[in-house]
Amino acid sequence: MRPPKMSRRDHLRLMGTGATVLAGSAAGMMPWGNNAILKASSADVAKESPEQLADRARRMKWWHEARFGMFIHFGLYSVIGQHEWAMELEGIPVAQYQLLAKHFNPRPHAAREWAKLAKRAGQKYMVMTTKHHEGFCNFETKLTNYCAPKQACGRDLVAEYVEAARGEGLRVGFYYSLMDWHHPDGARCLTDEAARVRFVEYTHGLIRELMTQYGKIDVLWYDVDWPLSAEQWESEKMNKMVFELQPDIIVNNRNGVPGDYSTPEQEINPAKGGRAWETCMTLNESWGYHKADNNWKSPETIVRNLSTCAHDAGNYLLNIGPKPDGSIPEESVRILTAVGEWMQRNGPTIYQIEPCQSDWHVYANYTRRGNTLYMHIYHWPGETPASEWLEFFRLPSVLAIGGLRAKVQSARLFASGKPVAFEQGDQYVKFTGLPINAPDSPVTVIAIECDTEPVVNHNDVRKLRKREGVGM
């Protein structure tokens, strides 16, 4: 993953200011790689055959229904506890950094805690770093001894993770960084063709091992394609091999070709043209374990992000960074447990949700399934002083939607099933008889059954609302 809050100039400095990098940046490419993020578009999908589109729909059906996954960043950087980019950002020599492999020895089967927490949180799939930018492999490989089974750990951490995820009934995903700060050809491959051939062969070989050693794999999550182009990485050939070995797998767009879905990072930015997308995000500001990073997101923020992604048919991949022994930071457990309790009550308003044509609201978000609109209220209005002189707000607590293009047939509090009274006018529907305090936490959901697909368009209110005179 990319480092946080760094300027374009900083990235160029870190990657080197050679002509190739500068040319790439001038062309609008992200200086840390991932050129495919810019290339993947609806135009790429339009070139595919009906058979290819049908196959993608088949492979991705479970993923679209899942909506919520767990990302895990775990590696040698966890021992340092200062973010997963420490090796590069602090300029640590390779010979020194690789000594961490002699001290990286998490307790056996720590991944079982990860999987149990993911299940409690309502997450349906997991994606673990098999090799991050540091170049250390968490899995058994014949291609290098710079891997967990051949160092202090002495075990295949990816195998433990796969066993743990499957034990909880979760789908299994592998993260793999193309960029490699450790391999001797990892940078010189850009200017030395013999080095490129060796490094690409090494990369394809590692991916082949991942695709053949652990049974059925559901997701391959590439990251950072620096310093090569898709043609130089032989990315089409790479994906062809992956699909031959794993016919049901889905792959993202970070190896220089579009793949199956787009991957906005640390922001919710829906893909265009109906393309599948997944926002990946940290719980604090770090992907790997960072003992000093206490800027944690609240359970309310996580639930709001979930509903925002689901609103536009996107997925939410939320990260944890285990400690060096594999244990999960206490705040991560607390936050995800709270989110899981909410999901137990309200999960159907997130899972298997369809795209929702509803404008923004100042205190709520929307998701939809069929003709049911789910209103996610994160700022419960409660009592208002305006009730003293405005009839609209005369009741103890009022929620309203302006511009709903459907007739409401019924409404209920989703978690409890308690009916909610409503009144519908030409340009609004008003929900009444509600308590002053929010009946659910951190977000209350009202299920609104409509006579047709619900669409909320505030411009209808602006254009069609009856206006009086110039004065009062």
Side-chain angles (χ1 to χ4, degrees):
M1 311 304 292
R2 71 191 71 164
K5 299 180 179 178
M6 300 187 68
S7 70
R8 180 174 177 271
R9 178 174 294 178
D10 287 337
H11 281 300
L12 289 172
R13 175 177 55 80
L14 290 168
M15 294 294 108
T17 53
T20 302
V21 175
L22 289 173
S25 296
M29 300 191 319
M30 297 177 184
W32 54 83
N34 296 341
N35 304 333
I37 296 175
L38 298 177
K39 295 178 182 178
S41 68
S42 57
D44 297 305
V45 177
K47 298 174 184 176
E48 295 179 313
S49 69
E51 291 76 17
Q52 288 174 308
L53 295 174
D55 182 64
R56 174 173 294 120
R58 176 191 66 80
R59 289 183 288 110
M60 297 193 74
K61 183 178 184 296
W62 71 265
W63 186 86
H64 284 297
E65 294 174 350
R67 293 290 174 230
F68 193 21
M70 175 182 278
F71 218 171
I72 305 103
H73 277 66
F74 194 47
L76 302 187
Y77 45 83
S78 306
V79 178
I80 302 176
Q82 294 178 196
H83 199 279
E84 74 286 348
W85 275 68
M87 181 181 179
E88 179 154 296
L89 299 188
E90 299 183 21
I92 304 172
V94 170
Q96 291 183 27
Y97 190 90
Q98 65 187 13
L99 294 177
L100 292 171
K102 304 299 182 184
H103 302 276
F104 181 52
N105 188 17
R107 63 194 187 202
H109 298 288
R112 291 175 183 172
E113 292 183 19
W114 313 344
K116 289 181 185 300
L117 179 60
K119 188 171 184 178
R120 288 203 309 272
Q123 294 164 311
K124 300 296 187 181
Y125 61 105
M126 303 173 73
V127 178
M128 177 194 173
T129 50
T130 62
K131 179 179 82 73
H132 203 260
H133 315 328
E134 65 184 8
F136 184 77
C137 298
N138 281 325
F139 58 97
E140 177 68 55
T141 173
K142 296 181 176 66
L143 303 180
T144 178
N145 67 354
Y146 198 51
C147 62
K150 298 175 184 176
Q151 297 298 325
C153 178
R155 308 187 319 276
D156 187 329
L157 299 179
V158 170
E160 292 186 359
Y161 152 73
V162 170
E163 179 266 339
R166 289 181 180 147
E168 297 298 328
L170 303 175
R171 297 274 186 163
V172 174
F174 288 167
Y175 165 107
Y176 182 91
S177 171
L178 298 174
M179 180 167 70
D180 192 316
W181 298 330
H182 180 269
H183 194 285
D185 292 327
R188 67 187 176 200
C189 62
L190 181 61
T191 55
D192 183 326
E193 176 60 14
R196 185 200 70 81
V197 171
R198 288 193 303 268
F199 187 50
V200 169
E201 182 181 2
Y202 174 76
T203 299
H204 285 226
L206 289 177
I207 294 172
R208 174 177 289 276
E209 289 178 328
L210 287 170
M211 296 296 102
T212 56
Q213 296 177 171
Y214 304 98
K216 185 176 184 294
I217 305 304
D218 300 293
V219 177
L220 178 56
W221 215 101
Y222 297 115
D223 198 18
V224 186
D225 58 357
W226 188 89
L228 303 177
S229 67
E231 292 73 23
Q232 291 171 314
W233 279 117
E234 302 177 28
S235 294
E236 294 286 0
K237 178 181 177 182
M238 183 187 299
N239 279 3
K240 183 175 184 292
M241 171 189 70
V242 168
F243 284 117
E244 287 175 351
L245 297 172
Q246 296 282 345
D248 298 326
I249 203 169
I250 62 176
V251 300
N252 73 352
N253 64 336
R254 293 195 179 194
N255 71 334
V257 293
D260 294 313
Y261 64 101
S262 298
T263 53
E265 182 172 328
Q266 297 288 43
E267 64 176 357
I268 298 174
N269 184 16
K272 307 298 183 184
R275 178 173 167 82
W277 61 280
E278 171 193 73
T279 281
C280 58
M281 198 173 285
T282 52
L283 265 175
N284 49 10
E285 292 187 340
S286 307
W287 297 99
Y289 174 60
H290 196 320
K291 59 181 179 294
D293 183 354
N294 293 314
N295 192 20
W296 298 98
K297 296 176 178 64
S298 67
E300 178 187 319
T301 296
I302 300 304
V303 171
R304 288 179 62 175
N305 288 343
L306 256 177
S307 64
T308 302
C309 289
H311 175 278
D312 289 302
N315 282 22
Y316 191 41
L317 187 63
L318 187 61
N319 183 74
I320 63 168
K323 296 178 181 181
D325 65 355
S327 63
I328 307 167
E330 292 76 7
E331 278 298 293
S332 296
V333 175
R334 181 189 66 81
I335 295 165
L336 287 175
T337 298
V339 170
E341 291 170 352
W342 185 89
M343 288 291 284
Q344 285 181 356
R345 299 187 297 271
N346 299 281
T349 71
I350 299 294
Y351 305 128
Q352 302 178 29
I353 289 299
E354 302 171 85
C356 186
Q357 301 182 67
S358 297
D359 284 348
W360 65 280
H361 200 298
V362 292
Y363 55 73
N365 201 352
Y366 304 102
T367 60
R368 178 189 72 86
R369 184 186 297 110
N371 293 344
T372 302
L373 183 69
Y374 299 108
M375 187 180 189
H376 296 245
I377 305 105
Y378 43 81
H379 294 326
W380 191 259
E383 197 171 27
T384 170
S387 61
E388 297 181 13
W389 59 84
L390 292 180
E391 182 178 346
F392 191 90
F393 293 105
R394 189 63 49 81
L395 295 164
S397 189
V398 174
L399 296 166
I401 301 173
L404 176 61
R405 294 178 178 175
K407 182 178 180 181
V408 176
Q409 297 179 324
S410 66
R412 70 186 190 280
L413 293 172
F414 186 84
S416 67
K418 182 179 178 180
V420 174
F422 64 92
E423 171 191 324
Q424 189 162 16
D426 290 339
Q427 302 302 327
Y428 69 88
V429 57
K430 178 170 63 173
F431 303 98
T432 62
L434 299 166
I436 292 177
N437 297 319
D440 200 359
S441 179
V443 173
T444 297
V445 181
I446 295 179
I448 306 164
E449 305 289 346
C450 301
D451 65 340
T452 188
E453 179 182 330
V455 174
V456 177
N457 189 327
H458 297 155
N459 281 336
D460 289 354
V461 179
R462 186 178 301 173
K463 294 175 182 177
L464 304 176
R465 176 171 44 196
K466 182 181 178 182
R467 299 172 186 253
E468 308 298 335
V470 175
M472 292 180 66

